[in-house]
Amino acid sequence: MPVTIRSFDISKHLKTDEDIQGFLEEVISTGDDSDFIHALNIAARAKGMTEIAKQVGVTRASLYKSLSGNGNPRFKTTSKIVKALGCKLTVARRSDKA
């Protein structure tokens, strides 16, 4: 019997601001900086790239480029994206002190 494989798009499961916040918190605590940029891409798609781009003050194409695998958004852009997603960046003491 053949096995059917379907692609899984996390963005389709991020329905609320709380979902997005929890997703970003998990990625920032377990991943690295490229994982976080990828997570911002997923969250922006969940909220709507066009709307996020408007709030950030960039074109939709520019936002896609910034959040692509080869993108390297400036801190100012990243901060604006996080804010447009209904979140905020904070600094906390690391518990592992590595």
Side-chain angles (χ1 to χ4, degrees), residues 2-87:
V3 175
T4 302
I5 299 174
R6 296 184 193 138
S7 63
F8 180 75
D9 186 354
I10 297 169
S11 69
K12 294 183 180 181
H13 300 276
L14 301 175
K15 304 282 188 202
T16 66
D17 287 347
E18 291 79 17
D19 292 343
I20 290 171
Q21 180 183 3
F23 173 65
L24 293 177
E25 285 176 345
E26 180 63 26
V27 172
I28 200 74
S29 69
T30 61
D32 62 17
D33 55 342
S34 64
D35 294 330
F36 185 66
I37 298 304
H38 181 67
L40 287 178
N41 180 312
I42 292 167
R45 285 188 292 114
K47 281 281 255 201
M49 276 291 196
T50 302
E51 183 58 34
I52 297 299
K54 283 180 190 174
Q55 291 181 38
V56 172
V58 298
T59 65
R60 190 169 143 282
S62 176
L63 185 60
Y64 270 111
K65 184 177 179 182
S66 290
L67 298 178
S68 73
N70 296 325
N72 188 19
R74 301 178 129 215
F75 179 78
K76 183 176 183 178
T77 303
T78 303
S79 179
K80 286 180 177 182
I81 293 168
V82 169
K83 185 176 180 180
L85 291 169
C87 300

